[in-house]
Amino acid sequence: MTTAAHRRRAIALRASRRRHDRASSGHAAARAWYSPRKQAPSRVAGVLADALLTTGWQAGDMIAAVRAVVPGRPAWARRLVGTVLLAYPRAPADRPRELRRFLSSVSRVPRVAVRLRLVAPARVVRMRWGVPPIGDLAALAAFLGVDGDALDWFADRREINRQARDEKLRHYRYRWLRHRLIEAPKQRLRTMQRQVLDEILSAVPVHDGVHGFVPGRGVHTFAAAHAGHAVLVSLDLRAFFSSITAARIYGLFHGMGYPEPVAHALTALTTTSTPAQVLRAASDAHLAALLRRPHLPQGAPTSPALANLCAFRLDRRLSALATRFGLTYARYADDLAFSGDRQPAALVPLVSRIVEDEGFRLHPHKTRVRRQSQRQSLAGLVVNTRPAVSRADYDRLRAILHDAAVNGLAAANRDNHPDFAAHLAGRVAWLSHRHPSRAAKLHALLDRARSEG
């Protein structure tokens, strides 16, 4: 190429960049030279999506942006912009990856050279539910009180947590119970998760039928919703937390309004993949398969709230099903309950179909149908008339308190609780809830036991 030709090309490029600067309506865009060779359509689609997002989202500006990054004046630019505007009347500035995928899938982007790449950072478009706006990863790091390197480390983008054999490199501590794995985050990650819970997740409403891990609701409100009904049907979701994938968590954060990079980082901070060494102790192949992929860890402070929000559509569908049959529906964590005057034969099969359609499974051995002639219990409370702890549990605690009152707390502490008095006080509070006659008797025995020391 001659010197004159080089000069003409440089002048043309500067002119196209000036046109694009006018088209971008003041949006700051990073410019980088790109390969002059013809690129694959998928890569060209990515470059075009980035260029379009630097504009003011007007047809003329967008056409100018296309012509700024590819050589010549492509005839397909106008058609491509028209297709994008039909699908996205407003600029998806918080979803650059989505726009790239859209262009790759629906537009016939040719294999062309790319002479310039224009990039605008993803940004907040619209926040929902009053959650705090966080526009990029730097803002997320500042929100969590860490630097960018620490954010990257705790988000575990390189899967060090999953692959590390040294426990010190892991972000979680693992403990197997009978049929579940407790994955407890270490202190620094737990602190960040607690902040996400308190300042982001707490602002998002849950379904009215949810009683677990919701302020102002609990086991007693869950049981009260089903007290005094002729029939009680209880079901259990299998591996509730582990069934919720990182993809669903990402969709939740993105639905709040967070741009793609921020939603991905928040997802990484609140989900995990269980290391292979830990999975060797799993006795359930289905559970091991769920734990192997990124999932909600049972033990993280954010997991109950995220699980409730991800199950919103499940709760809405099951609530509608209950209304159709004249029943009451409520959920406490992984416990589902329906109650009413009768049990429709189609109820359990329909519930199972909805549960599986929403990405969960019912535990095959934990579905119970109990009538008024039987003891109806939910979450440790008998609900035949009103929520109350069973008589057997009440008598057992009264016997322990009597023993402590006669022989002293140390002699009665047969299970070696580190703070037996506090343990007894907690059990008295549980068994006395909204039961004044029991409360008076149990508190009198507890006071005697404390005085005996």
Side-chain angles (χ1 to χ4, degrees), residues 45-198:
V47 173
L48 293 175
D50 290 341
L52 292 175
L53 288 173
T54 66
T55 73
W57 215 247
Q58 298 295 321
D61 298 347
M62 297 165 74
I63 294 170
V66 172
R67 291 172 176 171
V69 297
V70 298
R73 295 176 60 83
W76 46 265
R78 191 174 299 276
R79 172 176 52 80
L80 180 140
V81 168
T83 302
V84 170
L85 287 175
L86 281 175
Y88 295 95
R90 296 180 180 177
D94 58 338
R95 294 165 285 160
R97 295 184 186 180
E98 180 183 311
L99 182 59
R100 293 168 202 160
R101 289 193 299 268
F102 173 78
L103 289 177
S104 296
S105 63
V106 304
S107 297
R108 296 180 180 177
V109 177
R111 184 183 181 89
V112 297
V114 175
R115 61 185 181 186
L116 187 68
R117 186 167 190 178
L118 300 161
V119 181
R123 58 184 174 84
V124 169
V125 173
R126 180 175 66 93
M127 304 304 297
R128 302 178 65 190
W129 300 299
V131 297
I134 302 172
D136 54 33
L137 294 180
L140 177 61
F143 171 78
L144 296 172
V146 298
D147 59 26
D149 290 339
L151 178 62
D152 189 64
W153 167 250
F154 286 108
D156 197 29
R157 300 184 188 197
R158 301 170 188 171
E159 294 193 340
I160 293 175
N161 179 73
R162 180 177 179 180
Q163 299 174 12
R165 293 180 175 272
D166 187 348
E167 195 274 337
K168 294 180 181 178
L169 295 177
R170 295 176 179 170
H171 298 317
Y172 290 83
R173 294 186 176 91
Y174 302 93
R175 181 166 58 94
W176 280 101
L177 300 182
R178 187 177 177 185
H179 294 298
R180 66 184 63 193
L181 175 64
I182 302 301
E183 300 176 286
K186 295 180 181 178
Q187 185 58 47
R188 287 192 67 191
L189 179 57
R190 175 177 288 272
T191 299
M192 286 189 279
Q193 290 175 341
R194 175 63 65 179
Q195 186 171 356
V196 171
L197 172 65
D198 293 342

Side-chain angles (χ1 to χ4, degrees), residues 16 46 49 61 179 191 211 260 286 311 380-381 413:
S16 67
D61 298 347
H179 294 298
T191 299
H211 293 263
E260 287 173 335
H286 173 67
L381 297 173
N413 186 13

